[in-house]
Amino acid sequence: MAKRMLKILLISLLMYSCQKEKKQDPFEITNNRIGLLTSEIEIKELDSIYANDSIAKRTAGDQFLNDVNEIVIYEKGGTKLLVLEAHKESDPMSTIENIQIVDPRYKTASGLSSNGVFKDIKDHYNISKINNTLSTAVIFVDSIQAYFTIDKKELSKKFQSTTDIEITATDIPDSAKIKHFWISWDTAN
């Protein structure tokens, strides 16, 4: 009888451990989720989500900054992780609109990170459009709500001093480094 009870207990434990929910990867980027952040998280919740990290809030009155309030998330050791922008400035009930992925440990399922190159984007995602700005090519990937900048110094000279020429995916070298990696949770679009 004791053996039978032990077997039942072991089977129950095994079933429980198999059903246990998978722990969220703190560096995984998925649709509407970046690590522990989701598109529904309010600014007031950041202190509890990043309780073991540091949060720096820069306001519009800070010297040399735009009108946008930025919230910068640092690891305790000082490594910059993310830069967040709220939908509504100075509103603790506001959700996050834009997230700059700074730390390369944040990755999509295909391994795309802020340390990636254009080939990482091109090989795994459908490029929605490419904008030619003064100093960068901005690559939009709607399927993951992301946009990436690549310095125009990585492109041929004909693109470097003008915004009038259309840039296509074939104009960007595979080895062109990602300068910035942004996720946009703008619900207005």
Side-chain angles (χ1 to χ4, degrees):
M1 183 77 162
K3 276 186 167 184
R4 187 169 191 213
M5 290 299 281
L6 184 60
K7 282 183 182 181
I8 292 172
L9 180 63
L10 287 173
I11 290 171
S12 298
L13 279 171
L14 181 62
M15 289 176 68
Y16 174 75
S17 65
C18 289
Q19 292 175 353
K20 199 173 180 180
E21 189 177 312
K22 179 185 156 192
K23 187 176 178 182
Q24 178 62 43
D25 179 349
F27 295 105
E28 179 183 35
I29 299 172
T30 62
N31 196 27
N32 293 322
R33 177 179 288 280
I34 299 170
L36 304 174
L37 285 180
T38 66
S39 57
E40 294 86 29
I41 299 276
E42 294 178 349
I43 298 301
K44 67 182 181 181
E45 298 174 273
L46 293 176
D47 288 332
S48 63
I49 293 170
Y50 293 105
N52 295 326
D53 299 309
S54 298
I55 300 173
K57 297 177 183 174
R58 298 189 286 187
T59 59
D62 288 348
Q63 187 178 12
F64 306 116
L65 292 179
N66 297 336
D67 292 337
V68 177
N69 285 348
E70 289 184 340
I71 301 164
V72 184
I73 310 295
Y74 293 92
E75 216 168 27
K76 278 293 184 208
T79 302
K80 191 181 210 180
L81 300 173
L82 303 166
V83 178
L84 313 175
E85 294 176 358
H87 275 97
K88 297 177 186 166
E89 293 181 24
S90 304
D91 180 0
M93 304 285 276
S94 179
T95 56
I96 299 162
E97 181 175 25
N98 294 303
I99 305 99
Q100 182 183 4
I101 311 297
V102 179
D103 191 298
R105 291 176 290 176
Y106 287 95
K107 293 181 181 183
T108 65
S110 68
L112 180 59
S113 75
S114 60
N115 272 0
V117 293
F118 181 66
K119 182 175 177 35
D120 300 331
I121 301 168
K122 182 180 78 171
D123 287 354
H124 299 285
Y125 299 97
N126 184 22
I127 296 170
S128 307
K129 69 178 176 177
I130 300 174
N131 286 352
N132 183 351
T133 69
L134 207 50
S135 61
T136 63
V138 183
I139 297 118
F140 293 86
V141 177
D142 291 346
S143 64
I144 57 171
Q145 302 167 298
Y147 60 97
F148 306 87
T149 62
I150 292 182
D151 197 310
K152 284 173 67 173
K153 293 175 187 172
E154 304 250 10
L155 308 181
S156 97
K157 290 224 183 267
K158 74 178 183 176
F159 298 107
Q160 293 181 16
S161 59
T162 184
T163 59
D164 296 332
I165 303 173
E166 181 181 349
I167 298 173
T168 65
T170 58
D171 296 321
I172 303 172
D174 284 350
S175 61
K177 294 177 184 166
I178 293 172
K179 184 175 181 179
H180 296 109
F181 178 175
W182 285 87
I183 300 287
S184 180
W185 286 337
D186 184 6
T187 56
N189 290 336

